[in-house]
Amino acid sequence: LKGAAGLLQDERRRPRGIFMEVHPYAWSSFGTTSESLLNRLRANRYLVLGMDGSAVESITSWGAIVATSNHG
């Protein structure tokens, strides 16, 4: 996501949805945390949802999330 900052901020080209498989137990090796990932998505106006449709507040285990464009 760091490398895609320009794309995520471009209203004409930004993806309407992003599907991500997440592996939080490996993130410390890359300097990533649940908070940093979610903050980056939210800063670019994405709503982050679990596969059950509920809002994601923290990522603590392996799984998948969907970030949807939030233009509001």
Side-chain angles (χ1 to χ4, degrees):
L1 291 177
K2 287 179 187 178
L7 175 65
L8 296 177
Q9 295 168 5
D10 185 329
E11 292 298 325
R12 294 176 302 125
R13 300 181 318 132
R14 62 188 264 133
R16 289 181 287 178
I18 303 170
F19 174 85
M20 297 177 66
E21 185 173 309
V22 293
H23 299 267
Y25 47 80
W27 290 348
S28 62
S29 301
F30 302 99
T32 301
T33 64
S34 171
E35 183 177 79
S36 67
L37 174 65
L38 294 174
N39 285 343
R40 184 171 302 275
L41 289 166
R42 290 177 184 141
N44 285 287
R45 296 189 339 246
Y46 282 90
L47 176 64
V48 185
L49 304 171
M51 296 310 294
D52 63 357
S54 65
V56 173
E57 300 299 325
S58 178
I59 301 168
T60 59
S61 62
W62 173 86
I65 61 172
V66 176
T68 61
S69 182
N70 179 7
H71 294 285

